[in-house]
Structure formats: C-alpha cells, structure tokens
C-alpha cells in the first residue's frame, strides 16, 4: 500500500513539475502573436460587389463573363475583384505547341495585370455554353464550357471548360478558384458540354 501511495505521489509531482516548466517557458503575452480571427469579414478585403452579382451561383458566373468580355479597352477590374475571395486563384492547365503540359496558378491581381494589358489592345468575348452545377451546403462546383471570340458574331477562336469552386458565407457567394483547360485536337470537349441543349 505504501509503495502505491509513494508511486502515485511521484507521478503527481512529475506532472506538476512538467506543467510548471511548460508554463514558465511560454513567451510573455506581449511577445505572443495575435490570434487570427477565423470570422474576419472577407468583404472588408475586396471592393464592394454589386448585390445582384453575388446573390446566386448563376449571377456570379454571369458577372465573371460580363467583366472580362468587351471590345478592346479597360475592364471594370474592381467589379472583378469583388467576386473573389482574397486568396482566390485562377489557374490554367494546358499544353503548349510543343506538347508540354503547363499548370499556371495566378492570384486575382496577377490575372488583372496580365489580362488587363491584353484586353486593353484586343477585343475579347467569352460566353458560357453548358454549365453543370453541384452544390452541397455552402459550397458549389460548376463545370462550365465556354467559347471565346474576338468580336460578337464571329466564330469562336477557342473553346474549353472553366471549373469554378464557390463558397457561400450566409450573405453572398464567393469564387474560391477558377481552373480551366482549352479544347485541342487531343482534348475535345465532351459531347454533353459541346453544344447548348
């Protein structure tokens, strides 16, 4: 019985000692990093959206295509920024002329900078063909085939599929990412995405 009590006392003393040691090596409160607020207001980090742009999955897709489409000239990049989470990515995955596959992720600002200079000099009109939407709770995934034109009424010079990941925060929809690949002879659009129903 005495051995058990002695063993219990030693174990208790050990735990008290290690607990005190851990407390004593913690940095002072002034040196600790501030806690990240997981409920931080994302809306404060982007321009204010048009309410009709972010009210549904359909409206946010329509807004993306509307912003990037138009004759040569400036686009409404603040409207574009307002559609995306601050950490959103836009990623192309495709092949170059030599057959090398490239995956190129961009931030929203990367896209604005690179595409903005192109759109300033060239007309560009992209329109959806077929969209397949899957939702679960506050998330949505949309596979949307598209056609790209240099002018309204012209034949498309490119087609492909945009893969959208969206999130709903209780007030509005956000684009978390867009991933796309273009149609090529070795990568034709599937029949169900190739023509409007």
């Amino acid at each position: 019985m005495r051995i058990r009590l002695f063993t219990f006392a030693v174990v208790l003393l050990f735990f008290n000692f290690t607990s005190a040691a851990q407390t004593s090596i913690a940095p002072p409160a002034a040196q600790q990093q501030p806690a990240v607020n997981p409920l931080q207001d994302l809306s404060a980090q982007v321009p204010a959206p048009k309410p009709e742009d972010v009210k549904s999955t359909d409206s946010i897709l329509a807004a993306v295509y509307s912003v990037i489409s138009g004759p040569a000239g400036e686009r409404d990049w603040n409207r574009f920024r307002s559609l995306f989470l601050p950490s959103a990515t836009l990623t192309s995955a495709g092949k170059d002329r030599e057959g090398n596959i490239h995956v190129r992720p961009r931030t929203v600002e990367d896209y604005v900078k690179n595409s903005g200079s192109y759109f300033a000099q060239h007309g560009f009109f992209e329109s959806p063909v077929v969209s397949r939407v899957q939702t679960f709770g506050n998330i949505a995934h949309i596979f949307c085939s598209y056609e790209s034109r240099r002018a309204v009424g012209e034949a498309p010079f490119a087609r492909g599929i945009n893969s959208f990941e969206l999130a709903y925060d209780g007030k509005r929809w956000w684009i978390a990412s867009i991933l796309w690949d273009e149609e090529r002879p070795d990568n034709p659009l599937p029949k169900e995405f190739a023509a409007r129903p």
Side-chain angles (χ1 to χ4, degrees):
M1 181 71 171
R2 287 181 181 175
I3 293 175
R4 285 186 185 168
L5 285 174
F6 178 75
T7 304
F8 177 76
V10 169
V11 169
L12 189 59
L13 181 64
F14 174 78
F15 280 117
N16 284 341
F17 175 78
T18 55
S19 176
Q22 289 173 353
T23 303
S24 66
I25 61 171
Q31 294 178 2
Q32 291 179 355
Q33 295 292 327
V36 175
N37 180 1
L39 301 177
Q40 184 176 3
D41 184 10
L42 297 170
S43 296
Q45 301 175 50
V46 298
K50 294 181 177 182
E52 63 271 19
D53 282 351
V54 295
K55 67 182 181 180
S56 69
T57 58
D58 287 342
S59 65
I60 202 165
L61 260 65
V64 169
Y65 289 117
S66 175
V67 170
I68 65 174
S69 297
E74 188 65 25
R75 302 296 193 257
D76 185 349
W77 291 119
N78 276 341
R79 182 183 180 199
F80 186 78
R81 291 178 180 102
S82 76
L83 306 175
F84 292 85
L85 287 171
S87 59
T89 56
L90 297 96
T91 305
S92 61
K95 282 186 179 179
D96 62 21
R97 291 182 179 138
E98 288 74 41
N100 301 308
I101 297 173
H102 295 284
V103 176
R104 293 191 173 100
R106 302 163 184 85
T107 65
V108 172
E109 289 308 312
D110 290 338
Y111 185 88
V112 167
K113 180 181 175 184
N114 297 330
S115 297
S117 58
Y118 177 83
F119 294 154
Q121 303 295 321
H122 303 90
F124 181 82
F125 297 83
E126 191 164 281
S127 56
V129 180
V130 176
S131 292
R132 297 286 169 88
V133 182
Q134 293 180 308
T135 59
F136 177 76
N138 297 307
I139 63 173
H141 173 254
I142 304 173
F143 237 38
C144 181
S145 55
Y146 65 84
E147 295 176 335
S148 300
R149 294 174 170 82
R150 293 187 176 90
V152 175
E154 283 188 0
F157 69 86
R159 302 193 315 167
I161 291 183
N162 287 321
S163 177
F164 293 85
E165 294 295 331
L166 306 178
Y168 185 70
D169 69 359
K171 298 176 184 176
R172 56 158 293 178
W173 284 96
W174 295 89
I175 300 172
S177 69
I178 306 175
L179 176 67
W180 68 92
D181 196 358
E182 287 190 354
E183 183 178 45
R184 297 178 296 279
D186 66 341
N187 189 44
L189 285 179
K191 287 182 181 178
E192 65 269 26
F193 285 99
R196 289 176 178 85

